[in-house]
Every structure is written in C-alpha cells, then in structure tokens.
mmCIF file of all heavy atoms in Angstrom:
data_model
loop_
_atom_site.group_PDB
_atom_site.id
_atom_site.type_symbol
_atom_site.label_atom_id
_atom_site.label_comp_id
_atom_site.label_asym_id
_atom_site.label_seq_id
_atom_site.Cartn_x
_atom_site.Cartn_y
_atom_site.Cartn_z
ATOM 1 N N VAL F 1 88.568 143.011 25.378
ATOM 2 C CA VAL F 1 88.930 142.876 26.833
ATOM 3 C C VAL F 1 88.766 144.161 27.589
ATOM 4 O O VAL F 1 88.155 144.185 28.577
ATOM 5 C CB VAL F 1 90.429 142.369 26.864
ATOM 6 C CG1 VAL F 1 90.923 142.333 28.349
ATOM 7 C CG2 VAL F 1 90.481 140.958 26.189
ATOM 8 N N ALA F 2 89.270 145.280 27.051
ATOM 9 C CA ALA F 2 89.211 146.617 27.718
ATOM 10 C C ALA F 2 89.441 147.599 26.757
ATOM 11 O O ALA F 2 90.105 147.464 25.664
ATOM 12 C CB ALA F 2 90.240 146.575 28.740
ATOM 13 N N SER F 3 88.851 148.712 26.998
ATOM 14 C CA SER F 3 88.878 149.859 26.010
ATOM 15 C C SER F 3 88.889 151.220 26.649
ATOM 16 O O SER F 3 88.420 151.298 27.849
ATOM 17 C CB SER F 3 87.784 149.727 24.939
ATOM 18 O OG SER F 3 86.449 149.794 25.628
ATOM 19 N N ILE F 4 89.169 152.156 25.902
ATOM 20 C CA ILE F 4 89.102 153.572 26.173
ATOM 21 C C ILE F 4 88.361 154.322 25.145
ATOM 22 O O ILE F 4 88.819 154.230 23.988
ATOM 23 C CB ILE F 4 90.421 154.369 26.433
ATOM 24 C CG1 ILE F 4 91.154 153.622 27.605
ATOM 25 C CG2 ILE F 4 90.220 155.713 26.738
ATOM 26 C CD1 ILE F 4 92.626 154.184 27.854
ATOM 27 N N THR F 5 87.198 154.829 25.326
ATOM 28 C CA THR F 5 86.433 155.709 24.397
ATOM 29 C C THR F 5 86.183 157.023 24.886
ATOM 30 O O THR F 5 85.651 157.209 26.001
ATOM 31 C CB THR F 5 85.059 154.915 24.093
ATOM 32 O OG1 THR F 5 85.375 153.639 23.689
ATOM 33 C CG2 THR F 5 84.365 155.687 22.970
ATOM 34 N N ASN F 6 86.576 157.992 24.118
ATOM 35 C CA ASN F 6 86.479 159.437 24.419
ATOM 36 C C ASN F 6 87.003 159.650 25.815
ATOM 37 O O ASN F 6 86.527 160.480 26.712
ATOM 38 C CB ASN F 6 84.956 159.833 24.361
ATOM 39 C CG ASN F 6 84.559 159.894 23.011
ATOM 40 O OD1 ASN F 6 85.329 160.198 22.027
ATOM 41 N ND2 ASN F 6 83.307 159.628 22.777
ATOM 42 N N GLY F 7 88.231 158.971 26.262
ATOM 43 C CA GLY F 7 88.878 159.195 27.317
ATOM 44 C C GLY F 7 88.485 158.385 28.671
ATOM 45 O O GLY F 7 88.894 158.298 29.737
ATOM 46 N N ASP F 8 87.283 157.623 28.473
ATOM 47 C CA ASP F 8 86.719 156.891 29.506
ATOM 48 C C ASP F 8 87.139 155.415 29.337
ATOM 49 O O ASP F 8 86.872 154.837 28.322
ATOM 50 C CB ASP F 8 85.142 156.813 29.474
ATOM 51 C CG ASP F 8 84.625 158.225 29.887
ATOM 52 O OD1 ASP F 8 85.357 158.935 30.759
ATOM 53 O OD2 ASP F 8 83.571 158.694 29.409
ATOM 54 N N SER F 9 87.874 154.889 30.374
ATOM 55 C CA SER F 9 88.290 153.495 30.201
ATOM 56 C C SER F 9 87.341 152.466 30.857
ATOM 57 O O SER F 9 86.732 152.855 31.880
ATOM 58 C CB SER F 9 89.642 153.378 30.836
ATOM 59 O OG SER F 9 89.600 153.790 32.221
ATOM 60 N N ARG F 10 87.310 151.334 30.429
ATOM 61 C CA ARG F 10 86.489 150.290 31.061
ATOM 62 C C ARG F 10 86.988 148.958 30.743
ATOM 63 O O ARG F 10 87.750 148.712 29.766
ATOM 64 C CB ARG F 10 85.089 150.433 30.631
ATOM 65 C CG ARG F 10 84.928 150.148 29.087
ATOM 66 C CD ARG F 10 83.408 150.332 28.663
ATOM 67 N NE ARG F 10 83.294 149.924 27.254
ATOM 68 C CZ ARG F 10 82.078 150.068 26.598
ATOM 69 N NH1 ARG F 10 81.118 150.663 27.115
ATOM 70 N NH2 ARG F 10 82.060 149.669 25.333
ATOM 71 N N SER F 11 86.651 147.880 31.600
ATOM 72 C CA SER F 11 86.899 146.584 31.245
ATOM 73 C C SER F 11 85.700 146.022 30.510
ATOM 74 O O SER F 11 84.624 145.994 31.226
ATOM 75 C CB SER F 11 87.222 145.767 32.529
ATOM 76 O OG SER F 11 88.396 146.214 33.210
ATOM 77 N N ASP F 12 85.830 145.578 29.393
ATOM 78 C CA ASP F 12 84.578 145.126 28.593
ATOM 79 C C ASP F 12 84.421 143.631 28.859
ATOM 80 O O ASP F 12 83.200 143.196 28.641
ATOM 81 C CB ASP F 12 84.917 145.354 27.202
ATOM 82 C CG ASP F 12 85.017 146.893 26.879
ATOM 83 O OD1 ASP F 12 86.069 147.361 26.889
ATOM 84 O OD2 ASP F 12 83.848 147.454 26.596
ATOM 85 N N SER F 13 85.258 142.824 29.267
ATOM 86 C CA SER F 13 85.036 141.463 29.530
ATOM 87 C C SER F 13 84.895 141.136 30.963
ATOM 88 O O SER F 13 85.645 141.546 31.803
ATOM 89 C CB SER F 13 86.210 140.658 29.053
ATOM 90 O OG SER F 13 86.121 139.229 29.307
ATOM 91 N N LYS F 14 83.688 140.439 31.339
ATOM 92 C CA LYS F 14 83.475 140.199 32.710
ATOM 93 C C LYS F 14 84.581 139.331 33.346
ATOM 94 O O LYS F 14 84.907 139.436 34.515
ATOM 95 C CB LYS F 14 82.083 139.436 32.826
ATOM 96 C CG LYS F 14 81.017 140.304 32.451
ATOM 97 C CD LYS F 14 79.620 139.528 32.662
ATOM 98 C CE LYS F 14 78.399 140.313 32.367
ATOM 99 N NZ LYS F 14 77.147 139.550 32.483
ATOM 100 N N SER F 15 85.162 138.500 32.501
ATOM 101 C CA SER F 15 86.219 137.628 33.035
ATOM 102 C C SER F 15 87.550 138.289 33.481
ATOM 103 O O SER F 15 88.248 137.702 34.071
ATOM 104 C CB SER F 15 86.574 136.522 31.884
ATOM 105 O OG SER F 15 87.120 137.200 30.858
ATOM 106 N N VAL F 16 87.669 139.555 33.049
ATOM 107 C CA VAL F 16 88.940 140.289 33.473
ATOM 108 C C VAL F 16 88.683 141.477 34.373
ATOM 109 O O VAL F 16 89.650 142.101 34.865
ATOM 110 C CB VAL F 16 89.634 140.853 32.316
ATOM 111 C CG1 VAL F 16 89.937 139.696 31.158
ATOM 112 C CG2 VAL F 16 88.942 141.943 31.698
ATOM 113 N N LYS F 17 87.456 141.693 34.826
ATOM 114 C CA LYS F 17 87.162 142.744 35.666
ATOM 115 C C LYS F 17 87.898 142.572 36.979
ATOM 116 O O LYS F 17 87.822 141.546 37.633
ATOM 117 C CB LYS F 17 85.594 142.912 35.983
ATOM 118 C CG LYS F 17 84.841 143.556 34.867
ATOM 119 C CD LYS F 17 83.560 143.861 35.172
ATOM 120 C CE LYS F 17 82.628 144.292 33.932
ATOM 121 N NZ LYS F 17 83.057 145.603 33.451
ATOM 122 N N GLY F 18 88.533 143.739 37.407
ATOM 123 C CA GLY F 18 89.196 143.570 38.688
ATOM 124 C C GLY F 18 90.720 143.116 38.595
ATOM 125 O O GLY F 18 91.515 143.093 39.452
ATOM 126 N N ARG F 19 91.025 142.608 37.385
ATOM 127 C CA ARG F 19 92.289 141.961 37.106
ATOM 128 C C ARG F 19 93.103 142.738 36.010
ATOM 129 O O ARG F 19 94.302 142.862 36.156
ATOM 130 C CB ARG F 19 92.143 140.570 36.801
ATOM 131 C CG ARG F 19 91.501 139.678 37.838
ATOM 132 C CD ARG F 19 91.706 138.142 37.472
ATOM 133 N NE ARG F 19 90.998 137.802 36.166
ATOM 134 C CZ ARG F 19 91.640 137.337 35.122
ATOM 135 N NH1 ARG F 19 92.876 137.019 35.213
ATOM 136 N NH2 ARG F 19 90.947 136.972 34.058
ATOM 137 N N PHE F 20 92.383 143.140 34.989
ATOM 138 C CA PHE F 20 93.060 143.943 33.956
ATOM 139 C C PHE F 20 92.658 145.306 33.981
ATOM 140 O O PHE F 20 91.606 145.765 34.092
ATOM 141 C CB PHE F 20 92.616 143.307 32.508
ATOM 142 C CG PHE F 20 93.107 141.911 32.235
ATOM 143 C CD1 PHE F 20 93.612 141.187 33.209
ATOM 144 C CD2 PHE F 20 92.876 141.389 31.014
ATOM 145 C CE1 PHE F 20 94.050 139.878 32.905
ATOM 146 C CE2 PHE F 20 93.383 140.104 30.621
ATOM 147 C CZ PHE F 20 93.946 139.309 31.649
ATOM 148 N N THR F 21 93.679 146.197 33.549
ATOM 149 C CA THR F 21 93.387 147.701 33.534
ATOM 150 C C THR F 21 94.108 148.258 32.251
ATOM 151 O O THR F 21 95.226 148.030 31.970
ATOM 152 C CB THR F 21 94.025 148.376 34.779
ATOM 153 O OG1 THR F 21 93.632 147.729 36.012
ATOM 154 C CG2 THR F 21 93.723 149.871 34.780
ATOM 155 N N ILE F 22 93.271 149.030 31.526
ATOM 156 C CA ILE F 22 93.852 149.683 30.342
ATOM 157 C C ILE F 22 94.142 151.176 30.727
ATOM 158 O O ILE F 22 93.517 151.776 31.516
ATOM 159 C CB ILE F 22 92.817 149.626 29.228
ATOM 160 C CG1 ILE F 22 93.411 150.177 27.890
ATOM 161 C CG2 ILE F 22 91.531 150.390 29.576
ATOM 162 C CD1 ILE F 22 92.568 150.025 26.723
ATOM 163 N N SER F 23 95.228 151.648 30.071
ATOM 164 C CA SER F 23 95.789 152.954 30.406
ATOM 165 C C SER F 23 96.606 153.453 29.350
ATOM 166 O O SER F 23 96.851 152.765 28.363
ATOM 167 C CB SER F 23 96.465 153.115 31.765
ATOM 168 O OG SER F 23 97.703 152.311 31.581
ATOM 169 N N THR F 24 96.977 154.780 29.329
ATOM 170 C CA THR F 24 97.842 155.308 28.266
ATOM 171 C C THR F 24 98.906 156.193 28.926
ATOM 172 O O THR F 24 98.780 156.490 30.070
ATOM 173 C CB THR F 24 97.012 156.152 27.203
ATOM 174 O OG1 THR F 24 96.773 157.480 27.890
ATOM 175 C CG2 THR F 24 95.760 155.482 26.854
ATOM 176 N N ASP F 25 99.937 156.495 28.106
ATOM 177 C CA ASP F 25 100.924 157.576 28.647
ATOM 178 C C ASP F 25 100.610 158.845 28.120
ATOM 179 O O ASP F 25 101.490 159.815 28.189
ATOM 180 C CB ASP F 25 102.294 157.034 28.160
ATOM 181 C CG ASP F 25 102.461 157.234 26.622
ATOM 182 O OD1 ASP F 25 101.438 157.400 25.943
ATOM 183 O OD2 ASP F 25 103.603 156.998 26.167
ATOM 184 N N ASN F 26 99.432 159.155 27.557
ATOM 185 C CA ASN F 26 99.004 160.361 26.968
ATOM 186 C C ASN F 26 99.797 160.862 25.861
ATOM 187 O O ASN F 26 99.686 162.050 25.566
ATOM 188 C CB ASN F 26 98.935 161.373 28.076
ATOM 189 C CG ASN F 26 97.806 161.151 29.098
ATOM 190 O OD1 ASN F 26 96.689 160.668 28.785
ATOM 191 N ND2 ASN F 26 98.057 161.516 30.339
ATOM 192 N N VAL F 27 100.564 159.924 25.260
ATOM 193 C CA VAL F 27 101.371 160.380 24.087
ATOM 194 C C VAL F 27 101.146 159.401 22.968
ATOM 195 O O VAL F 27 100.459 159.706 22.038
ATOM 196 C CB VAL F 27 102.804 160.529 24.386
ATOM 197 C CG1 VAL F 27 103.735 161.090 23.287
ATOM 198 C CG2 VAL F 27 103.145 161.420 25.642
ATOM 199 N N HIS F 28 101.841 158.142 22.993
ATOM 200 C CA HIS F 28 101.725 157.266 21.912
ATOM 201 C C HIS F 28 101.393 155.876 22.381
ATOM 202 O O HIS F 28 101.149 155.015 21.443
ATOM 203 C CB HIS F 28 103.192 157.309 21.165
ATOM 204 C CG HIS F 28 103.417 158.477 20.493
ATOM 205 N ND1 HIS F 28 102.756 158.824 19.238
ATOM 206 C CD2 HIS F 28 104.319 159.383 20.613
ATOM 207 C CE1 HIS F 28 103.352 159.886 18.796
ATOM 208 N NE2 HIS F 28 104.221 160.364 19.559
ATOM 209 N N THR F 29 101.415 155.604 23.656
ATOM 210 C CA THR F 29 101.273 154.173 24.080
ATOM 211 C C THR F 29 99.979 153.880 24.865
ATOM 212 O O THR F 29 99.550 154.620 25.665
ATOM 213 C CB THR F 29 102.517 153.908 24.981
ATOM 214 O OG1 THR F 29 103.719 154.232 24.254
ATOM 215 C CG2 THR F 29 102.602 152.348 25.225
ATOM 216 N N VAL F 30 99.427 152.723 24.478
ATOM 217 C CA VAL F 30 98.317 152.172 25.250
ATOM 218 C C VAL F 30 98.790 150.889 26.016
ATOM 219 O O VAL F 30 99.500 150.088 25.343
ATOM 220 C CB VAL F 30 97.102 151.769 24.340
ATOM 221 C CG1 VAL F 30 95.907 151.362 25.106
ATOM 222 C CG2 VAL F 30 96.799 153.004 23.385
ATOM 223 N N TYR F 31 98.499 150.862 27.241
ATOM 224 C CA TYR F 31 98.914 149.693 28.054
ATOM 225 C C TYR F 31 97.770 148.762 28.409
ATOM 226 O O TYR F 31 96.568 149.225 28.528
ATOM 227 C CB TYR F 31 99.591 150.197 29.302
ATOM 228 C CG TYR F 31 100.876 151.006 29.193
ATOM 229 C CD1 TYR F 31 100.766 152.407 29.365
ATOM 230 C CD2 TYR F 31 101.987 150.543 28.734
ATOM 231 C CE1 TYR F 31 101.810 153.225 29.103
ATOM 232 C CE2 TYR F 31 103.160 151.302 28.555
ATOM 233 C CZ TYR F 31 102.994 152.642 28.757
ATOM 234 O OH TYR F 31 104.204 153.451 28.579
ATOM 235 N N LEU F 32 98.086 147.566 28.732
ATOM 236 C CA LEU F 32 97.091 146.662 29.416
ATOM 237 C C LEU F 32 97.873 145.992 30.404
ATOM 238 O O LEU F 32 98.768 145.132 30.270
ATOM 239 C CB LEU F 32 96.518 145.649 28.324
ATOM 240 C CG LEU F 32 95.427 144.713 28.954
ATOM 241 C CD1 LEU F 32 94.212 145.571 29.325
ATOM 242 C CD2 LEU F 32 95.134 143.503 28.035
ATOM 243 N N GLN F 33 97.469 146.391 31.691
ATOM 244 C CA GLN F 33 98.084 145.717 32.911
ATOM 245 C C GLN F 33 97.329 144.490 33.304
ATOM 246 O O GLN F 33 96.001 144.654 33.406
ATOM 247 C CB GLN F 33 98.194 146.658 34.040
ATOM 248 C CG GLN F 33 98.785 146.085 35.409
ATOM 249 C CD GLN F 33 100.193 145.753 35.190
ATOM 250 O OE1 GLN F 33 101.026 146.522 34.609
ATOM 251 N NE2 GLN F 33 100.557 144.560 35.756
ATOM 252 N N MET F 34 97.961 143.340 33.249
ATOM 253 C CA MET F 34 97.138 142.165 33.484
ATOM 254 C C MET F 34 97.750 141.479 34.840
ATOM 255 O O MET F 34 98.832 141.123 34.822
ATOM 256 C CB MET F 34 97.364 141.107 32.405
ATOM 257 C CG MET F 34 96.852 141.864 31.020
ATOM 258 S SD MET F 34 96.937 140.650 29.711
ATOM 259 C CE MET F 34 98.651 140.221 29.623
ATOM 260 N N ASN F 35 96.855 141.408 35.785
ATOM 261 C CA ASN F 35 97.224 140.712 37.080
ATOM 262 C C ASN F 35 96.443 139.514 37.340
ATOM 263 O O ASN F 35 95.487 139.285 36.710
ATOM 264 C CB ASN F 35 96.927 141.787 38.196
ATOM 265 C CG ASN F 35 97.807 143.031 38.074
ATOM 266 O OD1 ASN F 35 98.948 143.063 37.548
ATOM 267 N ND2 ASN F 35 97.264 144.157 38.466
ATOM 268 N N SER F 36 96.879 138.725 38.296
ATOM 269 C CA SER F 36 96.234 137.514 38.677
ATOM 270 C C SER F 36 95.817 136.649 37.364
ATOM 271 O O SER F 36 94.722 136.235 37.331
ATOM 272 C CB SER F 36 94.964 137.828 39.514
ATOM 273 O OG SER F 36 95.235 138.502 40.614
ATOM 274 N N LEU F 37 96.827 136.382 36.649
ATOM 275 C CA LEU F 37 96.615 135.795 35.349
ATOM 276 C C LEU F 37 96.310 134.302 35.537
ATOM 277 O O LEU F 37 96.723 133.640 36.381
ATOM 278 C CB LEU F 37 97.835 135.897 34.413
ATOM 279 C CG LEU F 37 97.968 137.268 33.741
ATOM 280 C CD1 LEU F 37 99.369 137.438 33.225
ATOM 281 C CD2 LEU F 37 96.982 137.302 32.569
ATOM 282 N N LYS F 38 95.312 133.885 34.650
ATOM 283 C CA LYS F 38 94.765 132.522 34.760
ATOM 284 C C LYS F 38 95.122 131.823 33.400
ATOM 285 O O LYS F 38 95.311 132.481 32.372
ATOM 286 C CB LYS F 38 93.236 132.576 34.943
ATOM 287 C CG LYS F 38 92.804 133.320 36.159
ATOM 288 C CD LYS F 38 91.351 133.380 36.248
ATOM 289 C CE LYS F 38 90.846 134.134 37.430
ATOM 290 N NZ LYS F 38 89.304 134.363 37.493
ATOM 291 N N PRO F 39 95.061 130.457 33.345
ATOM 292 C CA PRO F 39 95.388 129.818 32.186
ATOM 293 C C PRO F 39 94.351 130.136 31.052
ATOM 294 O O PRO F 39 94.821 130.163 29.842
ATOM 295 C CB PRO F 39 95.257 128.328 32.556
ATOM 296 C CG PRO F 39 95.755 128.251 34.053
ATOM 297 C CD PRO F 39 95.028 129.572 34.493
ATOM 298 N N GLU F 40 93.117 130.498 31.392
ATOM 299 C CA GLU F 40 92.186 130.827 30.507
ATOM 300 C C GLU F 40 92.375 132.257 29.823
ATOM 301 O O GLU F 40 91.733 132.637 28.863
ATOM 302 C CB GLU F 40 90.711 130.754 30.966
ATOM 303 C CG GLU F 40 90.476 131.542 32.270
ATOM 304 C CD GLU F 40 90.696 130.567 33.540
ATOM 305 O OE1 GLU F 40 91.598 129.689 33.530
ATOM 306 O OE2 GLU F 40 89.853 130.770 34.408
ATOM 307 N N ASP F 41 93.425 132.925 30.322
ATOM 308 C CA ASP F 41 93.836 134.212 29.814
ATOM 309 C C ASP F 41 94.730 133.957 28.604
ATOM 310 O O ASP F 41 95.062 135.025 27.944
ATOM 311 C CB ASP F 41 94.441 135.045 30.696
ATOM 312 C CG ASP F 41 93.418 135.508 31.848
ATOM 313 O OD1 ASP F 41 92.290 135.763 31.589
ATOM 314 O OD2 ASP F 41 93.876 135.504 33.052
ATOM 315 N N THR F 42 95.186 132.795 28.386
ATOM 316 C CA THR F 42 96.039 132.550 27.147
ATOM 317 C C THR F 42 95.416 132.815 25.893
ATOM 318 O O THR F 42 94.347 132.355 25.529
ATOM 319 C CB THR F 42 96.489 131.055 27.306
ATOM 320 O OG1 THR F 42 97.169 130.777 28.464
ATOM 321 C CG2 THR F 42 97.263 130.674 26.096
#
C-alpha cells in the first residue's frame, strides 16, 4: 500500500494515492493515516 525506503516515503498502490499517508515518529513507530476510506479498503 505504502512504504518508506531509505527515508523516502511513497504510496505504492494507485488506489490509495491522495488518501493514505505513511509516516514515522522517528523512533519506533510507523503510521498509516487512511482518509476517505472506501468499502474496497476493507
């Protein structure tokens, strides 16, 4: 769906571009913020 490689983040799935964002807290946690969710995101 989304990934961070060598510090560069991206949305890997076309179906989530503009809706899902990957990020980190720079310590231990990786987040996936999901907005405008659709039934097909189940």
